[in-house]
Amino acid sequence: MTKSKLNAGKTARITDVLGKRSIVLIGLMGAGKTTIGRRLAVAMSLPFVDADNAIEDAAGMTIAEVFEHHGEAHFRDGERKVIARLLNNGPQVLSTGGGAYMDEQTRQSLAGTGITVWLRADLDLLIDRTARRNTRPLLKNDPRGTLRRLIDERHPTYGLADITVDSRDVPHELMVTEILERLTEFLFASASPMSNSQ
Ligand code: S3P
């Protein structure tokens, strides 16, 4: 069987039990949330939504401009509200900005409405990926030092996610397949042998 046919079987089972919940990608800047999320959504025939884009639409300016004109606290307020609103639109694949999951209220909103997938990546990968774009206000100065600090600060909280997948420089299709496998394990782990047997 081809890989996409295998994935089709997995995604049908997942979407059956997903209901209105969103699959929510979390992790640091450069972990691949948008790139992988977009492909995961295609594989699952679900809409893909990028929370950072939705924040920019709501604000009528780029994230860098929000930081510059209104500060980070204002950005975090907007981020919390936008994500709470987007979570009403599931099922979907929702990619969130790196700081979103650090907000306790957002984690609470996610508890019933989303399945969280942490794309965990090491420092060198994050440096490599974030160096390709200079649009991130937090990485304007000393990106390596900043990312190292954010790894220390955020990884313990990201570890609360429902699922953790190691983001690597492998074909995107492989990452998608791995996420689908973990979602299947997560969603069906508690099912009894009887319910698996039909
Ligand atoms: C941020 C990550 C960014 C964006 C903002 C702040 C963070 O999103 O939300 O610049 O605090 O980690 P990405 O993780 O999509 O780059």
Side-chain angles (χ1 to χ4, degrees), residues 29 33 52 63 75-76 79 97-99 136-138 154:
M29 297 171 271
K33 294 163 296 192
D52 281 346
I63 288 177
F75 169 76
R76 297 298 172 199
E79 180 175 52
R136 294 178 170 102
L138 294 182
R154 293 181 176 178

Side-chain angles (χ1 to χ4, degrees), residues 104-116:
E104 195 179 343
Q105 240 172 288
T106 295
R107 290 201 299 280
Q108 276 170 17
S109 312
L110 280 165
T113 56
I115 296 175
T116 43

Side-chain angles (χ1 to χ4, degrees), residues 119-175:
L119 286 185
R120 181 171 57 191
D122 65 27
L123 181 61
D124 285 336
L125 189 77
L126 297 172
I127 292 284
D128 193 44
R129 297 241 187 94
T130 52
R132 294 172 202 167
R133 278 174 47 201
N134 64 351
T135 53
R136 294 178 170 102
L138 294 182
L139 299 184
K140 268 200 297 206
N141 305 310
D142 185 18
R144 178 171 281 272
T146 304
L147 281 167
R148 188 182 290 123
R149 176 175 56 77
L150 290 175
I151 286 176
D152 289 346
E153 281 175 14
R154 293 181 176 178
H155 275 200
T157 304
Y158 291 161
L160 301 171
D162 297 315
I163 292 166
T164 300
V165 173
D166 281 314
S167 185
R168 306 173 312 278
D169 263 332
V170 296
H172 299 315
E173 175 84 358
L174 212 69
M175 292 301 309

